[in-house]
């Protein structure tokens, strides 16, 4: 199956930054003002309060954006409760008797926890901390990490995306090296959001390029899309494969060929 190259860059996310928009320094307010603001928020849904914080900074909050910078400690639990209330309304609109059906009596709470704390968790928590090591041996040979199992969801139907990722890195003699497990943690953090595969791999490549500063980085992703297998055309055998090549992987066809030959997609 042909591999499709993408050189388009998307925005990366930091633990204290918001995608595509520069966040202005926080304004220091007095305790009296803070109490007044808190009082004015009484009875306002937490999601609305968080949205106001984001809009005040003119930041973006698309489905695949990380908004952890605007969430205060302890608020995620409250957000789960709000999502559960609204999910209960969805079940009722689907004409499901959650009062008498023992299988769905706590479904709204379970689904809310799943969305906020698990499958979309990459939107709400900070980027994983990275342990960097100096490249004392001046390594500059091809490294391949993978396959890394990935789980995401399409932002069109919120259906699962299940697949694998391979990462290729060609460090320079002065590049930082990160622990092997960090590739998996960063990949999971990026993928745990509603999004499309084409943008997800670009964001992951952007992040690796910025953190490691290698000569080249490559990302290949192969995934099943349940929005195509579970619904719609219901084609269970179709997969999507795409790649992002940066630096030497984009310029050096021999290096690119070596990387693609070494990854095992069987």
């Amino acid at each position: 199956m042909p591999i499709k190259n993408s050189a388009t860059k998307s925005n990366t996310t930091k633990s204290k930054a918001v995608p595509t928009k520069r966040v202005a320094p926080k304004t220091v307010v007095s305790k009296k003002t803070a109490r007044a603001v808190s009082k004015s928020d009484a009875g306002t849904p937490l999601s609305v309060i968080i949205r106001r914080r984001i809009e005040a900074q003119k930041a973006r909050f698309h489905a695949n954006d990380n908004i952890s910078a605007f969430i205060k400690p302890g608020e995620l639990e409250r957000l789960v409760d709000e999502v559960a209330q609204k999910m209960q309304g969805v079940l009722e609109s689907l004409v499901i008797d959650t009062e008498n059906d023992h299988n769905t009596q706590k479904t709204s709470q379970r689904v809310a926890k799943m969305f906020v704390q698990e499958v979309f968790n990459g939107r709400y928590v900070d980027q994983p901390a990275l342990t960097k090591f100096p490249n004392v041996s001046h390594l500059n040979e091809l490294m391949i990490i993978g396959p890394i199992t990935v789980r995401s969801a399409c932002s069109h139907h919120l259906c699962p995306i299940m697949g694998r990722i391979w990462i290729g890195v060609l460090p320079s003699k002065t590049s930082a090296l990160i622990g092997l497990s960090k590739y998996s943690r960063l990949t999971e953090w990026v993928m745990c959001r509603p999004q499309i595969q084409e943008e997800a791999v670009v964001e992951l490549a952007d992040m690796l390029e910025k953190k490691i500063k290698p000569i080249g980085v490559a990302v290949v992703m192969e995934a099943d899309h349940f929005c195509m297998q579970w619904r719609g055309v219901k084609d269970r055998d179709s997969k999507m494969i795409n790649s992002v090549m940066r630096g030497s992987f984009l310029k050096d066809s021999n290096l690119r060929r070596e990387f693609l030959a070494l990854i095992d997609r069987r």
Side-chain angles (χ1 to χ4, degrees):
M1 186 177 290
I3 301 293
K4 183 179 178 183
N5 286 338
S6 170
T8 306
K9 288 195 175 184
S10 73
N11 300 298
T12 56
T13 313
K14 291 184 179 180
S15 61
K16 294 185 178 179
V18 180
T20 75
K21 299 288 184 180
R22 186 181 298 277
V23 179
K26 293 185 177 180
T27 304
V28 179
V29 298
S30 66
K31 291 183 179 180
K32 182 177 180 180
T33 303
R35 284 195 298 269
V37 171
S38 178
K39 188 175 181 180
S40 68
D41 286 338
T44 305
L46 178 58
S47 61
V48 174
I49 296 172
I50 296 172
R51 181 187 292 258
R52 287 173 180 169
R53 293 171 190 161
I54 299 172
E55 291 174 339
Q57 297 296 329
K58 295 181 172 57
R60 203 182 81 166
F61 52 105
H62 290 185
N64 63 334
D65 287 330
N66 178 276
I67 60 171
S68 61
F70 301 98
I71 298 175
K72 297 180 180 179
E75 287 187 335
L76 278 186
E77 291 76 11
R78 291 171 53 200
L79 190 61
V80 168
D81 292 337
E82 181 184 333
V83 174
Q85 291 176 6
K86 294 180 178 178
M87 183 56 62
Q88 180 63 30
V90 171
L91 296 174
E92 291 173 0
S93 294
L94 290 171
V95 198
I96 296 175
D97 182 5
T98 58
E99 290 186 11
N100 297 300
D101 178 7
H102 62 281
N103 289 316
T104 58
Q105 285 176 352
K106 295 184 179 180
T107 293
S108 60
Q109 186 71 21
R110 286 190 290 263
V111 172
K113 289 177 66 176
M114 177 187 72
F115 280 150
V116 177
Q117 297 179 359
E118 296 179 277
V119 297
F120 298 159
N121 191 244
R123 297 195 75 232
Y124 306 112
V125 299
D126 293 344
Q127 178 184 303
L130 293 182
T131 304
K132 293 184 179 181
F133 303 96
N135 189 0
V136 294
S137 298
H138 305 297
L139 301 174
N140 63 343
E141 300 295 331
L142 172 61
M143 300 187 301
I144 299 176
I145 302 93
I148 299 170
T149 300
V150 295
R151 305 166 188 85
S152 192
C154 78
S155 49
H156 299 149
H157 298 94
L158 301 186
C159 287
I161 298 173
M162 311 290 283
R164 301 180 295 172
I165 275 183
W166 292 261
I167 297 171
V169 176
L170 187 67
S172 70
K173 294 180 180 181
T174 58
S175 291
L177 302 178
I178 63 173
L180 189 60
S181 66
K182 303 307 179 184
Y183 290 98
S184 294
R185 294 187 187 280
L186 282 174
T187 299
E188 180 183 27
W189 183 69
V190 170
M191 293 297 160
C192 283
R193 309 171 194 181
Q195 58 197 319
I196 60 173
Q197 180 173 330
E198 302 93 307
E199 293 178 350
V201 292
V202 171
E203 181 169 356
L204 180 59
D206 285 342
M207 186 182 309
L208 291 170
E209 197 172 27
K210 186 171 184 178
K211 295 293 181 184
I212 307 174
K213 294 180 172 55
I215 298 174
V217 64
V219 178
V220 171
M221 179 173 174
E222 174 188 74
D224 295 298
H225 288 246
F226 281 59
C227 59
M228 186 175 181
Q229 298 180 359
W230 189 23
R231 58 160 300 280
V233 71
K234 296 184 176 67
D235 185 351
R236 68 175 187 174
D237 295 322
S238 292
K239 297 179 183 292
M240 182 176 184
I241 305 172
N242 61 337
S243 69
V244 178
M245 303 289 168
R246 298 280 172 77
S248 53
F249 285 95
L250 188 61
K251 299 173 184 176
D252 187 341
S253 60
N254 289 326
L255 176 64
R256 184 166 64 249
R257 192 178 300 113
E258 179 184 2
F259 169 68
L260 296 175
L262 288 173
I263 66 175
D264 182 4
R265 294 194 295 102
R266 290 177 293 176

